[in-house]
Every structure is written in structure tokens, then in C-alpha cells.
Amino acid sequence: GENVEQHPSTLSVQEGDSAVIKCTYSDSASNYFPWYKQELGKRPQLIIDIRSNVGEKKDQRIAVTLNKTAKHFSLHITETQPEDSAVYFCAASINTGFQKLVFGTGTRLLVSP
Amino acid sequence: DVKVTQSSRYLVKRTGEKVFLECVQDMDHENMFWYRQDPGLGLRLIYFSYDVKMKEKGDIPEGYSVSREKKERFSLILESASTNQTSMYLCASSLTDRNTEAFFGQGTRLTVV
């Protein structure tokens, strides 16, 4: 089955710096790659996603890149702010008539003022 | 506004008890998922369902079963609760049509004593 690895497990940056979180997946049939943000005590919420027919997607300060050949994808946050502090999860989804969504182990991002 | 609602926020059960965790979604989603969240291990898929009465094992199904008698409701059952099942349990739902966002419930913090 699908296996998603995520690095680093923790990431500390200064406000205004960039942050990069990387994930790899094992199943080449995976075709959808969402990223979720989970603030303390809250439920995970989607912040950006990318489909396998696209190499890069950007939404304001957040961007995601996908390399299908290498089976890895990354989240890039620019000009980080303290409110970006949270746990971020990558995921890979296979849709073969139904969706199976497998998550990485999470990255705790701490942005210091 | 999509709603995924889990029946309990906090639950304390005794070892050996049969435990039911309930999840209801109001968006007519075909897919429903149960994950457990543990520090350092991310979100691990226990079971998922893509239709009424249909279920598939995830990565860690041992000690759990599920029931989906109605499209909007997906139940996780701990047949005989054990202390190593103490965890945060998250339910999610999504559409099958194409790969789309999964919406999460608020989570149930289960403690088995």
C-alpha cells in the first residue's frame, strides 16, 4: 500500500524566513497530494493541494511542487508569520473509483517573532 | 458549510469494554475515514468506507471494526478496548467524484484505563 514519508518532524524559523517541508510517496498510482494545517486543539484543514497533472501551484505565500518521477512533493511557505505555527501534514491519495487518503507523520512548524 | 461531527470530544473507558465512536457528515459524501493521531506518528488510517455497507482496511485495522449502515454515518468500534488504543481519533469525509478535500471532525480523545 501507499507509504508517505515527511521531513523534517520539527522546523523552527524566524518570522519572515521561508519554510520548506518535504514528502515522498511510494505508490506511483497516487494522483492527488493535499496539505493540511492543524493548529493546536483544532481539526486538520486543507491549505493547498496539487494534482498529478500539475508540477507547481501557488496561493499567496504558500506553494506546492510535485516531482512525479522522483515521487516527492514539497510545501513552501514564504515570509512566515507567527500564525503559521502549527503542525503540517502532507498526504497522498489514490482514486480508483474510491479515494484512499494516506498521511505523512507531520511537521511541527514554529515561527518565532 | 460542511460539517463532520463526532459524537464525543472526550471519552474514558475501561480495559475490555466495547467502545463505539460515531461520526456523522451532512454533505452526502461517499467516502468516510477513521484515523488515529499519535505524537510523532501522524494520522494513521484505520478503516475507510466508500459506500454504504462497504469498508476497506487501512494501515492499522487490528483491534477495530467499522459499520456504515447509512451514508451519513460511519462508526468505529473497539471490540475490547486496550490501553494502547488510548489516542485521538479523527473522522473525515470526502467526495469520490474526483480527488477532493477531506473534511475532518473535531476529534475524540479516547482514554482507556
Side-chain angles (χ1 to χ4, degrees):
Chain A
E2 177 64 279
N3 182 49
V4 178
E5 295 191 359
Q6 182 172 348
H7 300 282
S9 56
T10 58
L11 181 58
S12 294
V13 300
Q14 292 293 123
E15 183 176 359
D17 287 352
S18 294
V20 180
I21 302 170
K22 298 182 179 182
C23 290
T24 60
Y25 61 99
S26 60
D27 195 327
S28 56
S30 291
N31 53 11
Y32 173 65
F33 306 91
W35 286 87
Y36 285 78
K37 176 183 180 182
Q38 186 179 30
E39 296 176 349
L40 193 64
K42 296 191 175 179
R43 68 192 77 190
Q45 292 196 297
L46 181 77
I47 54 170
I48 194 167
D49 57 16
I50 190 167
R51 289 174 172 77
S52 58
N53 58 347
V54 175
E56 185 173 358
K57 184 177 178 180
K58 192 173 181 181
D59 183 5
Q60 299 183 347
R61 296 186 297 108
I62 295 172
V64 58
T65 58
L66 171 64
N67 183 327
K68 282 180 61 179
T69 304
K71 289 192 268 187
H72 67 70
F73 56 114
S74 300
L75 178 71
H76 305 253
I77 306 175
T78 57
E79 300 171 26
T80 55
Q81 300 167 5
E83 50 266 38
D84 294 330
S85 296
V87 178
Y88 292 81
F89 293 98
C90 64
S93 173
I94 299 171
N95 191 321
T96 54
F98 55 84
Q99 183 185 34
K100 181 180 180 182
L101 191 59
V102 178
F103 283 83
T105 49
T107 296
R108 183 173 298 279
L109 174 64
L110 177 61
V111 182
S112 303
Chain B
D1 196 24
V2 175
K3 268 196 180 164
V4 181
T5 304
Q6 294 181 228
S7 53
S8 304
R9 192 81 169 98
Y10 299 95
L11 214 50
V12 180
K13 295 292 181 181
R14 294 194 179 278
T15 301
E17 272 193 81
K18 191 168 186 176
V19 181
F20 293 85
L21 303 183
E22 307 285 345
C23 176
V24 177
Q25 49 94 5
D26 66 357
M27 285 303 292
D28 204 33
H29 285 173
E30 295 90 356
N31 300 310
M32 295 189 75
F33 308 84
W34 275 107
Y35 296 89
R36 65 176 281 176
Q37 182 174 16
D38 301 287
L41 298 177
L43 298 166
R44 292 183 292 166
L45 183 62
I46 304 171
Y47 268 96
F48 65 105
S49 167
Y50 53 92
D51 201 352
V52 175
K53 296 192 188 296
M54 306 305 289
K55 60 185 179 184
E56 292 284 337
K57 292 181 180 179
D59 299 319
I60 52 165
E62 298 78 18
Y64 303 94
S65 62
V66 290
S67 172
R68 187 140 181 227
E69 296 297 318
K70 293 185 177 182
K71 190 174 185 179
E72 67 270 19
R73 187 181 297 270
F74 192 35
S75 302
L76 180 69
I77 303 156
L78 285 65
E79 298 291 342
S80 177
S82 64
T83 54
N84 62 13
Q85 292 177 309
T86 292
S87 187
M88 170 67 82
Y89 290 87
L90 286 162
C91 173
S93 71
S94 71
L95 284 169
T96 285
D97 228 11
R98 57 189 183 96
N99 281 312
T100 56
E101 177 179 1
F103 293 88
F104 281 85
Q106 78 277 24
T108 296
R109 170 73 65 186
L110 172 67
T111 302
V112 182
V113 298

